[in-house]
Amino acid sequence: MAGHEFPERADRRQVADSPVDPLAAADPRHPCDPAFQHGVVVGFDGSTSSERALAYAIGMARRSGSGLIIVHVANRLPTTVWAGCEPPVFVDVPDHRTEVLGLELACADHLSEVPWILVERGGDICHELEEVGREYAADAIVVGSTHGLVSRLFGSVAGRLARRAQRPVVVIP
């Protein structure tokens, strides 16, 4: 018998993985990597303003000697919701845009300066950015500013995040 083996129960779950807290077992998210604790969270969707925010966040993480947590909040609402045909319900479908962004980021030379990870979430952008910031005990959240009709009607992501966040929010024009 080589290595460390754990006995298996009849239901094929390993004894070492049995949760102590039943509420912890209900949370499907994995614990965050401790190497990125107190890092810099940046919202990124591939737009020009998010690229500027990413560039600023890279410098901020490099200067502070911390990791960079790049967050892409996927749009998981079906197009029929936007047309008014269905009530808004989030669906758990893969967002291929995150895969494309991940490949672009992996090939980017400027990201070689700092350790980074890409986190995909689905839901409200402000809530998810703050949630990732809380999970990683981030020192700051960096976002790009938005301009246009949608931000005037519903409020910009940066403005809503600045009012709601429990940590500094840096808005890059």
Side-chain angles (χ1 to χ4, degrees):
M1 193 151 58
H4 298 279
E5 295 182 12
F6 296 101
E8 293 184 4
R9 298 191 324 215
D11 63 358
R12 309 279 298 163
R13 289 183 58 205
Q14 292 182 348
V15 174
D17 290 342
S18 59
V20 177
D21 183 13
L23 295 177
D27 187 12
R29 296 181 182 160
H30 301 288
C32 62
D33 188 342
F36 293 96
Q37 290 289 321
H38 302 289
V40 177
V41 171
V42 59
F44 186 74
D45 63 1
S47 67
T48 304
S49 64
S50 72
E51 287 177 359
R52 286 193 296 262
L54 178 63
Y56 186 87
I58 290 169
M60 192 174 175
R62 187 181 66 243
R63 288 186 297 275
S64 66
S66 61
L68 184 64
I69 303 107
I70 303 169
V71 182
H72 176 244
V73 180
N75 179 8
R76 295 182 184 228
L77 287 174
T79 54
T80 54
V81 169
W82 297 110
C85 301
E86 293 180 7
V89 175
F90 289 106
V91 291
D92 194 17
V93 296
D95 181 15
H96 298 292
R97 179 74 180 137
T98 303
E99 292 176 24
V100 172
L101 289 175
L103 289 173
E104 290 174 7
L105 292 169
C107 295
D109 291 333
H110 57 279
L111 276 172
S112 62
E113 302 171 15
V114 295
W116 63 276
I117 57 171
L118 176 62
V119 177
E120 178 191 13
R121 294 292 172 90
D124 177 58
I125 297 170
C126 295
H127 173 76
E128 295 302 327
L129 286 172
E130 175 58 26
E131 184 68 20
V132 171
R134 186 190 59 74
E135 288 174 14
Y136 285 90
D139 289 340
I141 300 174
V142 180
V143 293
S145 63
T146 55
H147 305 285
L149 181 62
V150 174
S151 64
R152 287 184 189 157
L153 291 174
F154 299 109
S156 69
V157 170
R160 289 187 299 139
L161 187 60
R163 287 188 295 275
R164 155 189 286 185
Q166 300 297 315
R167 63 201 84 267
V169 175
V170 179
V171 181
I172 306 301

